[in-house]
Every structure is written in structure tokens, then in C-alpha cells.
Amino acid sequence: MKIHKEGRKILFFTLLGLLVVNLMLYYFNSAHLTFNRIFSGVSFIVFLLILQFFRSPYRNLLLHEDLVVAPADGKVVVIENVEEPEYFNDVRKQISIFMSPINVHITRNPVSGVVKYFKYHPGNYFVAWHPKSSTKNERTTVVVESLAGPQVLFRQIAGAMARRIVWYVTEGDEVNQGEEFGFIKFGSRVDIFVPVDTEVKVQLGQKTKGGQTVIAQLKTSSSGSFFG
């Protein structure tokens, strides 16, 4: 299993800390062997949970210029038309994907194109499904002018557990569909905003895989497709 670069330092120091604590227990608390063994078992489970969080599985990416693919693993929790006040200042169709702590937390470009806008917003840490999380939590906003023409806005949103958002894009970058644009540590969600005439391909409650699940199809006069 491949480990994502964002988790290597955390995993190293977590493993080191757990080893030190366990060795100290066995040395200074040798009379309580049962407790020490239970603590060792709990330490092992904790490390495995953190390890699976930072896994980076191989993905056979779906590439298609008029399709919008899921930017993250998770579950579709919002499909609705809303006013988007930060960039478009008009009504857009919002699709939101909630990422639980057991999901892969890599975030991927939903479309290929050029980054026209990027902004990081410090903020609060409401739970990710809270209505205010999209506008009040710590977040990043990325707008890509897709190869198909329409602009697509997507937003990493920190949650109650996720206290750090990492991004790899800036304005002017050319990005490829399915490639990583960031990482959210320990649970959160991603919002996607597309034109209201976009055809949604997912349903509420549906599970998604980043870079593979088609969530919408943009309206365009021409398109091409291939798999990679």
C-alpha cells in the first residue's frame, strides 16, 4: 500500500511516540503485564487507523473533457441550486461530497483546464455537514476554466476534525482531470459548483471515488474522451 506524502512525517512521529510509550510502560510498569498488553493492542489499532487514513491507492482515472469527476472519495450529501457569492455571484448547481475519517482524503481536479481563481480562507471548524461550513469554515476555493468551456468551482472545506488543508495549485496553472490538487487531513467535505444546466449523474447518498465517479456532464458543443 502506498502512503501519501502528507502522512509520512505524521506516521513516523506517531510510530516513534507509541514505541517510546510502550517501552516505558514495559520497563517501569512491568508488574501490570495485562494492562501493558492492552495498551500495546490499542496503540497498534490507533496506528493502523492513521495509516489507512493516509493511504494513496492506485486509480485508473476517467478522463473526458465534458464530464465532471468526483474530486474525492465519500458520499454525496448535497445536490441543489444555490447562490454562489464568492466568484460567480449568481445561481449555480452545488454538489457536495462528505469525506468520513475512513475515506481516502486526496482531493483531485474534477476537470482539466486552467486555474482562473484561487483563494485560501481561514475560518471556523463547524462539522462538515453544517450549513455554515461552506462559507464559514477554513477552506480553499479553486475555479478552473474547463477544456469543455464552462468554469467549474470546487472548494476544500475543513471540518471539526480536519484542521489542516493542503493545496498544490495556484492561479494560471494548467491542471489535469483526476490529478491531485490537494489533501484534507482528518475528515471534511468538497463542494463543486457547476452551471445550472449541467446534467447531474449522481444521487444523494451515493458513494463516490475520486477521479473515477462521474458526478456531472457539462453542456458543450464538442467533447472527446479517453482513459488513462
Side-chain angles (χ1 to χ4, degrees), residues 19 23 27 39 70 75 78 89 97 99 101 115 117-119 131 158-159 165 167 174 181 185 215 223:
L19 284 173
L23 288 173
Y27 184 79
F39 188 87
K75 181 172 71 172
V78 174
N89 295 305
I97 297 172
M99 308 158 70
V115 177
Y117 175 85
F118 173 85
K119 189 169 184 179
I165 294 175
W167 60 91
E174 293 185 5
F181 79 85
K185 296 185 176 181
I215 62 173
S223 64

Side-chain angles (χ1 to χ4, degrees), residues 142-158:
V142 183
V143 179
V144 171
E145 186 174 285
S146 69
L147 295 180
Q151 292 187 335
V152 176
L153 183 153
F154 41 103
R155 183 173 288 139
Q156 296 171 299
I157 303 171

Side-chain angles (χ1 to χ4, degrees), residues 53 82 119 143 205 209:
F53 178 86
V82 298
K119 189 169 184 179
V143 179
K209 282 194 172 184

Side-chain angles (χ1 to χ4, degrees), residues 83-103:
E83 184 78 17
E84 198 296 301
E86 180 179 349
Y87 180 81
F88 293 117
N89 295 305
D90 63 11
V91 177
R92 297 279 152 160
K93 191 176 296 293
Q94 176 182 338
I95 304 169
S96 297
I97 297 172
F98 172 72
M99 308 158 70
S100 78
I102 64 172
N103 288 127

Side-chain angles (χ1 to χ4, degrees), residues 55-106:
R55 69 195 187 278
S56 180
Y58 171 78
R59 290 287 163 84
N60 186 25
L61 302 176
L62 172 65
L63 305 175
H64 195 304
E65 67 179 34
D66 67 346
L67 296 181
V68 182
V69 299
D73 291 17
K75 181 172 71 172
V76 178
V77 293
V78 174
I79 301 175
E80 61 182 1
N81 291 344
V82 298
E83 184 78 17
E84 198 296 301
E86 180 179 349
Y87 180 81
F88 293 117
N89 295 305
D90 63 11
V91 177
R92 297 279 152 160
K93 191 176 296 293
Q94 176 182 338
I95 304 169
S96 297
I97 297 172
F98 172 72
M99 308 158 70
S100 78
I102 64 172
N103 288 127
V104 173
H105 277 65
I106 297 166

